[in-house]
């Protein structure tokens, strides 16, 4: 039964108020989660409230009517002595309890930073020439540590989870969910390796090349144990604290997300070809287009238009039937096109605007020159229809092979996300490099990458066969070279799967029946795979070019 806002006439609801709001959950049952009022507007003499459900993803934010508000539990925002200013301008909204705690924590971190978080080097100023991406909140997934992990595993903790204040063992899903909803501003505290050897140094982000994994095969071929002896070079050359998340490249820390404008979806609906998409997040389309009930996009050049008549007129003049650029892969109906952000600037900018509707942790800029875009399409008699894309820097000093990655909502949960990830690693194999996605990953991105890494690594471990009756052996470096997955990601995936155990002075990786059976079931469902024979790609050395 719906609770009516019977007191709404006597009590004025303002921005920053909190109260339970009625919504349907995944089982289509009524629930009343706590929500914050971000904006109030009046349409046809009826008040509408834009709400953000506390501890829910922002893509669930929506406009609601007054009859869905529980006025009995209304919480007013705390009054401030002075409205906070930003760049000399008044603050965008009244403070909420959560906002106040966040500000206090941030100031505390700033006060403690010089004493507790020394960095390995100077932080470079943020370049102006950056495209589309900025982290907002690090989504953390538990990687269960074991006693005194090898130093390469420690490095992976800082790489995959760059902003975790403490590394703990999470024993339940509740712990994971609680942590993954936090915005973390601190630095990671490293695990101290056992029996450190003073005077020994290891290469940065790299463990010894001779870390040998021994695979023991039992009578049951579906069960095996892998031994990881502790590396000799276990002492880090730094002060033991990883550097803060980087402030250069296409990812820079986002300081503009407190603005109420960017916290609210501004596009109601997008029509792209035969699909109508409901955006999840704010995207900086021109202001005059945000009041339209439907924003029309040409599905081939991605140009945005204000009406169906304008779109029809545009289609008579638009000659494109596929993304601009070179088709570097085709198998069946799936094709990949490589687009240079400098040569096809307008298309790249339109692609970024569309992608921002579904990527919250990114901030978009308009200089696309330093980036390459790889667009995946499905072919039919009308042309090549965009399914998803990923972008990457032409020159990455940190071996990033993906900057942004997105599968459009109509094509999600059909295996296309893993196909995009697999294609990015196939490019890295041709380039002769190991790669990793830029951090932090979004919640959905982290799930996709974890699943891909797990399946890829387990596939290799299960394919190992005894050599001359002896136990098969493989090193972490060899796994990394075969898959082009960076070594830190390999080790962190083993931690995430909770496969590493400490037994009699050595690190043992155990593949149980359940893990093997689960992997085989997952691989049976994975029908879409990249065929390297269908890839026609020649990498370019961008460092030798004066101009991209």
């Amino acid at each position: 039964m719906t609770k009516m806002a019977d007191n709404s006439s006597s009590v004025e609801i303002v921005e920053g108020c909190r109260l339970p709001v009625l919504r349907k959950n995944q089982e289509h049952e009524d629930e009343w989660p706590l929500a914050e009022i971000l904006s109030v507007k009046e349409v046809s003499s009826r008040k509408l409230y834009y709400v953000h459900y506390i501890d829910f993803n922002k893509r669930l934010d929506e406009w609601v009517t007054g009859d869905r508000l529980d006025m009995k539990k209304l919480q007013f925002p705390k009054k401030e002595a002075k409205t906070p200013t930003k760049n000399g301008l008044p603050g965008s909204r009244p403070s909420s309890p959560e906002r106040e705690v966040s500000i206090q924590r941030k100031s505390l971190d700033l006060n403690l930073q010089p004493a507790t978080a020394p960095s390995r080097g100077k932080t470079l100023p943020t370049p102006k020439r950056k495209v589309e991406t900025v982290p907002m909140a690090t989504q953390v997934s538990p990687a269960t540590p074991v006693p005194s992990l090898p130093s390469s595993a420690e490095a992976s903790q800082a790489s995959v989870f760059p902003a975790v204040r403490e590394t703990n063992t999470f024993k339940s899903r509740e712990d994971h969910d609680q942590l993954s909803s936090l915005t973390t501003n601190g630095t990671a505290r490293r695990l101290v390796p056992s029996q450190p050897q003073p005077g020994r140094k290891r290469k940065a982000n790299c463990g010894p090349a001779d870390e040998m994994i021994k695979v023991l095969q039992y009578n049951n071929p579906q069960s095996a144990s892998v031994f990881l002896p502790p590396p000799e070079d276990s002492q880090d050359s730094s002060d033991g604290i990883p550097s803060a998340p980087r402030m250069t490249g296409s990812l820079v820390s986002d300081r503009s997300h407190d603005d109420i404008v960017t916290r609210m979806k501004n596009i109601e609906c997008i029509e792209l070809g035969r699909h109508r998409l409901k955006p999840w997040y704010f995207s900086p389309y021109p202001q005059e287009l945000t009041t339209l009930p439907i924003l029309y996009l040409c599905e081939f050049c991605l140009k945005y238009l204000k009406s169906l008549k304008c779109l029809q007129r545009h289609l008579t003049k638009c000659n494109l039937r596929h993304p601009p650029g070179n088709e570097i892969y085709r198998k069946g109906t799936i094709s990949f096109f490589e687009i240079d952000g400098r040569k096809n600037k307008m298309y790249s900018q339109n692609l970024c605007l569309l992608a921002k509707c579904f990527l919250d942790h990114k901030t978009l800029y308009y200089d696309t020159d330093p980036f390459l875009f790889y667009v995946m399409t499905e072919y039919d008699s009308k042309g090549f229809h965009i399914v998803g894309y990923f972008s990457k820097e032409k020159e990455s000093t940190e071996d990033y092979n993906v900057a942004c990655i997105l599968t459009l909502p109509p094509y999600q949960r059909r295996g296309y996300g893993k196909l995009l990830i697999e294609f990015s690693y196939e490019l890295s194999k041709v380039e002769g490099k190991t790669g990793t996605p830029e951090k932090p990953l979004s919640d959905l991105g982290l799930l996709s990458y974890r699943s891909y890494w797990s399946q890829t690594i387990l596939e290799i471990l299960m394919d190992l066969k005894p050599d001359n009756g002896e136990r098969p052996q493989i090193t972490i470096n060899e796994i990394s070279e075969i898959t082009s997955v960076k070594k830190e990601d390999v080790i962190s995936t083993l931690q995430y799967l909770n496969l590493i155990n400490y037994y009699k002075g050595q690190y043992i990786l155990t593949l149980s029946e359940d893990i093997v059976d689960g992997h085989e079931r997952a691989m049976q469902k994975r029908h879409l795979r990249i065929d390297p024979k269908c890839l026609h790609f020649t990498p370019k050395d961008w460092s030798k070019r004066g101009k991209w």
Side-chain angles (χ1 to χ4, degrees):
M1 191 174 83
T2 304
K3 297 185 181 179
M4 304 294 289
D6 48 6
N7 298 330
S8 58
S9 58
S10 58
V11 179
E12 183 182 3
I13 301 177
V14 297
E15 297 173 2
C17 286
R18 292 188 175 194
L19 73 172
V21 177
L22 176 66
R23 70 178 297 272
K24 297 283 186 182
N25 59 20
Q26 292 181 343
E27 288 76 30
H28 301 285
E29 299 171 346
D30 291 352
E31 62 179 5
W32 293 84
L34 185 66
E36 180 181 352
I37 305 294
L38 298 185
S39 183
V40 182
K41 70 178 181 181
E42 193 166 333
V43 179
S44 302
S45 301
R46 190 181 190 188
K47 277 195 174 183
L48 296 177
Y49 305 91
Y50 192 86
V51 299
H52 165 65
Y53 299 104
I54 308 301
D55 296 331
F56 286 73
N57 193 285
K58 279 174 58 181
R59 60 175 162 267
L60 299 177
D61 295 2
E62 59 181 338
W63 288 99
V64 300
T65 53
D67 59 351
R68 292 174 58 182
L69 308 180
D70 184 0
M71 300 294 295
K72 295 178 182 177
K73 299 180 181 178
L74 178 63
Q75 304 172 20
F76 284 97
K78 293 184 179 180
K79 292 184 179 180
E80 296 179 352
K82 187 177 180 182
T83 305
T85 59
K86 185 175 180 181
N87 298 330
L89 298 175
S92 56
R93 64 185 175 95
S95 70
S96 62
E98 183 181 40
R99 182 184 177 92
E100 187 170 305
V101 172
S102 175
I103 293 172
Q104 291 175 357
R105 284 181 180 172
K106 192 175 293 185
S107 62
L108 181 62
D109 289 339
L110 290 174
N111 293 335
L112 295 177
Q113 188 174 1
T116 60
S119 61
R120 292 183 180 175
K122 295 181 178 178
T123 302
L124 298 175
T126 304
K128 293 181 181 178
R129 250 191 1 176
K130 296 303 156 200
V131 174
E132 37 172 346
T133 55
V134 160
M136 175 184 170
T138 304
Q139 300 289 340
V140 184
S141 180
T144 306
V146 295
S148 42
L149 293 171
S151 55
S152 52
E154 299 161 19
S156 70
Q157 290 261 346
S159 172
V160 179
F161 316 121
V164 186
R165 178 168 294 280
E166 292 187 10
T167 304
N168 296 321
T169 302
F170 305 105
K171 297 182 180 179
S172 68
R173 181 178 295 272
E174 294 176 0
D175 295 336
H176 171 213
D177 294 340
Q178 183 179 2
L179 183 59
S180 64
S181 65
L182 295 178
T183 301
T184 51
N185 298 316
T187 55
R189 188 166 68 189
R190 304 178 64 129
L191 295 173
V192 181
S194 61
Q195 299 178 353
Q197 301 178 13
R200 305 282 298 190
K201 293 187 178 181
R202 66 173 180 86
K203 297 179 182 178
N205 296 328
C206 182
D210 57 350
E211 291 181 79
M212 188 64 70
I213 302 179
K214 296 181 181 179
V215 181
L216 301 183
Q217 294 200 348
Y218 296 93
N219 294 332
N220 185 347
Q222 301 299 323
S223 179
S225 292
V226 182
F227 288 81
L228 290 82
E232 294 180 4
D233 303 331
S234 60
Q235 185 67 28
D236 198 315
S237 58
S238 70
D239 50 20
I241 300 176
S243 56
R246 74 192 189 106
M247 302 289 289
T248 58
S250 64
L251 280 176
V252 293
S253 292
D254 184 12
R255 303 300 180 196
S256 64
H257 254 283
D258 284 340
D259 187 0
I260 189 63
V261 175
T262 61
R263 290 191 67 189
M264 295 168 53
K265 304 171 197 174
N266 58 335
I267 304 295
E268 187 67 28
C269 181
I270 292 176
E271 184 169 303
L272 180 68
R274 62 180 179 269
H275 300 291
R276 283 197 174 177
L277 316 177
K278 192 170 178 63
W280 296 349
Y281 307 110
F282 171 88
S283 184
Y285 279 103
Q287 181 67 30
E288 60 269 20
L289 301 179
T290 60
T291 57
L292 300 174
I294 299 176
L295 178 63
Y296 295 88
L297 265 61
C298 171
E299 64 176 325
F300 300 114
C301 71
L302 302 183
K303 181 177 180 179
Y304 46 85
L305 303 115
K306 63 181 181 179
S307 68
L308 182 58
K309 189 171 285 188
C310 291
L311 175 63
Q312 291 169 344
R313 214 165 36 235
H314 166 79
L315 290 175
T316 62
K317 298 178 283 186
C318 182
N319 297 322
L320 280 178
R321 288 298 174 266
H322 60 78
N326 300 323
E327 185 180 9
I328 60 174
Y329 179 90
R330 181 188 292 185
K331 184 175 183 182
T333 59
I334 301 294
S335 293
F336 279 86
F337 290 83
E338 181 185 55
I339 293 132
D340 190 325
R342 183 181 69 84
K343 294 179 181 177
N344 300 283
K345 188 169 292 190
M346 187 59 67
Y347 180 89
S348 301
Q349 290 175 355
N350 289 337
L351 178 61
C352 294
L353 283 169
L354 173 62
K356 183 61 185 71
C357 290
F358 306 100
L359 295 173
D360 177 45
H361 66 299
K362 309 291 185 184
T363 291
L364 181 140
Y365 295 89
Y366 288 95
D367 187 0
T368 59
D369 288 16
F371 286 84
L372 294 169
F373 297 84
Y374 295 90
V375 177
M376 179 169 63
T377 63
E378 254 189 350
Y379 175 76
D380 64 14
S381 58
K382 295 183 179 179
F384 294 81
H385 308 280
I386 181 171
V387 171
Y389 89 104
F390 68 89
S391 60
K392 64 186 289 188
E393 290 179 285
K394 293 176 180 176
E395 290 183 274
S396 175
T397 57
E398 304 186 38
D399 296 330
Y400 290 134
N401 64 354
V402 165
C404 283
I405 185 167
L406 171 71
T407 304
L408 291 175
Y411 299 96
Q412 290 179 359
R413 303 186 66 83
R414 290 166 57 181
Y416 289 115
K418 276 200 186 71
L419 200 67
L420 282 166
I421 296 172
E422 187 177 2
F423 188 78
S424 71
Y425 281 108
E426 285 298 329
L427 296 183
S428 295
K429 290 176 186 178
V430 176
E431 293 170 348
K433 301 175 181 176
T434 58
T436 187
E438 287 193 8
K439 313 299 187 306
L441 295 166
S442 67
D443 53 351
L444 298 179
L446 183 60
L447 287 173
S448 297
Y449 266 95
R450 278 298 185 198
S451 178
Y452 172 79
W453 287 334
S454 300
Q455 291 179 9
T456 303
I457 293 169
L458 287 173
E459 201 170 21
I460 288 176
L461 295 178
M462 290 172 59
D463 286 344
L464 291 175
K465 293 186 173 133
D467 185 17
N468 296 328
E470 296 183 359
R471 298 165 184 166
Q473 298 182 348
I474 192 170
T475 65
I476 295 288
N477 278 346
E478 286 172 348
I479 295 175
S480 181
E481 288 169 7
I482 293 169
T483 61
S484 281
V485 176
K486 211 167 185 182
K487 186 159 48 176
E488 289 81 3
D489 295 332
V490 173
I491 298 174
S492 69
T493 301
L494 298 178
Q495 290 178 271
Y496 169 76
L497 293 171
N498 201 19
L499 301 181
I500 302 177
N501 298 290
Y502 191 72
Y503 180 71
K504 291 187 178 180
Q506 35 188 357
Y507 296 93
I508 306 171
L509 180 75
T510 305
L511 302 181
S512 65
E513 288 273 5
D514 292 340
I515 291 175
V516 172
D517 292 342
H519 170 71
E520 289 178 346
R521 285 195 302 270
M523 295 306 291
Q524 288 173 0
K525 296 178 184 177
R526 190 172 162 188
H527 304 297
L528 293 174
R529 299 298 297 267
I530 294 296
D531 185 355
K533 296 176 184 176
C534 299
L535 176 63
H536 304 283
F537 170 70
T538 304
K540 297 176 183 176
D541 187 359
W542 297 100
S543 62
K544 293 183 179 178
R545 295 167 181 257
K547 255 191 175 181
W548 291 310

